């Protein structure tokens, strides 16, 4: 069986004894792998996964970085690295490659969240303390943007927390925690983030999918149907994003466009319906509508970092 290095993704050649190196994290016992093991080159790739920041993360959770050698002639090796074979066969390999995680650990502090689409980064502005809202049409490809952005940043080594009651079960991913609470309120979101912060696990990005499944507070179980309810939610989320005790996690809030597409008419804030109230407290409010197989029309209703309102087209 031929394996590729988890860091550089180049083929691994066994040594004279027919073995390759593998690195991962264990807890309690060597065979209890909680991360990896991943096949790597002895040098320099293995050294990149020995970064002090990685060891600090492992120590916080009581894990130990473990390096082993695997015999490629041993049939048990294939079972040990089965998870890596599945990742290598995935069309999303670039998002999950361990090299992204090691790049993040070795990089400067203050890494900013990104989108998988470079043209959208200047629109979303997923920086610390910001509340960004993206409006999309139901059942469109863009409606999955929240999950795509969450996966993209988790693969870069950022700790992402996603709240998505309607999201179908997915395979678990490192650094991505998904909550599917049916009763989703700003208070619950804050409580989840505070609980994680108390354990030293601060969230780098919060994704909420979506506004229309939220309620304003526990004692008011009504769906969001009044402007004052949406205003209450947006104020609470903005305060959470700015909370220094939580290290100011950027919040991405997805919303659904409620007005049907009007041929020949550009996107407008009124297409959001009741969710248009988000404009008052969000740092960025952008509406997305696909009119081309590889491009999306964007209407930026509000942008604290640039001119608004404005229309543009981005590659997607």
């Amino acid at each position: 069986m031929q394996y590729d290095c988890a860091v550089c993704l180049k083929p691994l050649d066994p040594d004279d004894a027919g073995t390759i190196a593998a690195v991962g994290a264990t807890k309690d016992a060597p065979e209890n792998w909680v991360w990896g093991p991943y096949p790597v080159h002895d040098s320099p790739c293995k050294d990149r996964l020995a970064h002090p920041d990685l060891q600090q993360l492992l120590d916080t959770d009581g894990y130990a970085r473990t390096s082993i050698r695997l015999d490629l002639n041993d049939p048990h090796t294939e079972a040990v690295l089965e998870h890596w074979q599945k990742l290598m066969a995935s069309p999303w390999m670039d998002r999950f490659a361990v090299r992204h995680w090691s790049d993040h650990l070795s990089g400067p502090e203050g890494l900013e969240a990104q989108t998988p689409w470079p043209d959208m980064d200047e629109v979303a502005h997923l920086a610390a303390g910001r509340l960004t809202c993206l409006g999309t049409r139901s059942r469109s490809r863009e409606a999955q943007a929240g999950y795509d952005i969450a996966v993209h940043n988790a693969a870069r080594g950022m700790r992402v927390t996603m709240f998505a009651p309607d999201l179908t079960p997915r395979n678990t991913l490192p650094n991505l925690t998904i909550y599917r609470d049916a009763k989703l309120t700003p208070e619950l979101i804050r409580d989840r983030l505070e609980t994680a912060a108390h354990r030293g696990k601060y969230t780098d990005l919060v994704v909420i999918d979506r506004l229309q499944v939220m309620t304003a507070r526990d004692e008011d179980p009504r769906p969001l149907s009044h402007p004052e309810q949406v205003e209450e939610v947006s104020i609470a989320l903005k305060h959470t994003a700015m909370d220094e005790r939580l290290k100011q996690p950027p919040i991405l809030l997805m919303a659904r466009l409620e007005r049907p597409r009007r041929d020949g008419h550009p996107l407008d804030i009124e297409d959001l319906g009741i969710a248009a109230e988000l404009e008052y407290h969000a740092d960025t409010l952008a509406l997305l509508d696909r009119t081309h197989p590889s491009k999306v029309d964007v209407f930026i209703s509000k942008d604290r970092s640039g001119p608004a309102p404005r229309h543009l087209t981005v590659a997607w």
Side-chain angles (χ1 to χ4, degrees), residues 135-279:
T136 66
R137 296 201 180 279
S138 179
R139 299 184 182 87
S140 67
R141 287 162 58 186
E142 302 75 61
Q144 298 297 316
Y147 180 74
D148 290 340
I149 292 172
V151 170
H152 178 75
N153 286 286
R156 297 174 63 230
M158 304 186 76
R159 181 173 283 132
V160 182
T161 302
M162 184 172 186
F163 298 88
D166 294 339
L167 185 68
T168 56
R170 312 289 173 92
N171 292 334
T172 57
L173 300 174
N175 303 321
L176 175 58
T177 301
I178 300 177
Y179 293 108
R180 296 182 174 84
D181 300 88
K183 191 175 182 181
L184 184 57
T185 65
E187 183 179 0
L188 181 143
I189 291 171
R190 188 182 187 86
D191 287 345
R192 297 281 197 193
L193 298 179
E194 288 180 345
T195 299
H198 289 159
R199 299 198 304 265
K201 296 183 177 181
Y202 292 93
T203 299
D204 298 312
L205 174 65
V206 178
V207 178
I208 304 170
D209 189 6
R210 63 196 181 280
L211 174 73
Q212 282 82 357
V213 300
M214 297 186 66
T215 56
R217 52 186 184 274
D218 289 337
E219 58 270 25
D220 185 5
R222 298 174 300 165
L224 299 180
S225 56
H226 299 283
E228 59 269 19
Q229 291 176 301
V230 177
E231 181 182 19
E232 184 175 345
V233 168
S234 61
I235 292 175
L237 293 179
K238 178 58 180 175
H239 285 169
T240 298
M242 296 179 64
D243 194 330
E244 293 184 357
R245 295 172 301 174
L246 299 175
K247 296 192 175 181
Q248 297 184 306
I251 296 179
L252 171 63
L253 174 63
M254 303 299 297
R256 290 289 186 266
L257 301 182
E258 297 180 4
R259 186 159 62 176
R261 180 181 287 109
R262 298 169 299 154
D263 293 337
H265 292 267
L267 287 168
D268 184 83
I269 185 63
E270 297 302 322
D271 292 329
L272 271 175
I274 195 69
E277 293 295 321
L278 294 169
E279 188 177 30

Side-chain angles (χ1 to χ4, degrees), residues 6 8 25-26 29 49 78 81-82 121 125 132 148 151 154 169-170 178 182 186 195 215 260 270 278 288 294 302 316:
C8 69
T26 61
L49 294 184
E78 187 171 346
L81 298 178
E82 181 181 6
D121 287 334
H125 295 301
T132 295
D148 290 340
V151 170
R170 312 289 173 92
I178 300 177
T195 299
T215 56
E270 297 302 322
L278 294 169
L288 313 179
S294 61
K302 181 180 181 180
W316 191 301

Side-chain angles (χ1 to χ4, degrees), residues 35 49 53-54 57 61 93-114 148-161 173-177 200-205:
W35 179 78
L49 294 184
D53 288 349
L54 169 58
L57 289 174
D61 292 327
M93 184 58 229
D94 285 342
R95 294 188 186 178
F96 296 113
V98 181
R99 71 180 189 276
H100 290 309
W101 199 54
S102 59
D103 285 345
H104 169 60
L105 291 174
S106 303
E109 294 184 1
L111 185 70
E112 186 172 309
Q114 299 176 351
D148 290 340
I149 292 172
V151 170
H152 178 75
N153 286 286
R156 297 174 63 230
M158 304 186 76
R159 181 173 283 132
V160 182
T161 302
L173 300 174
N175 303 321
L176 175 58
T177 301
K201 296 183 177 181
Y202 292 93
T203 299
D204 298 312
L205 174 65

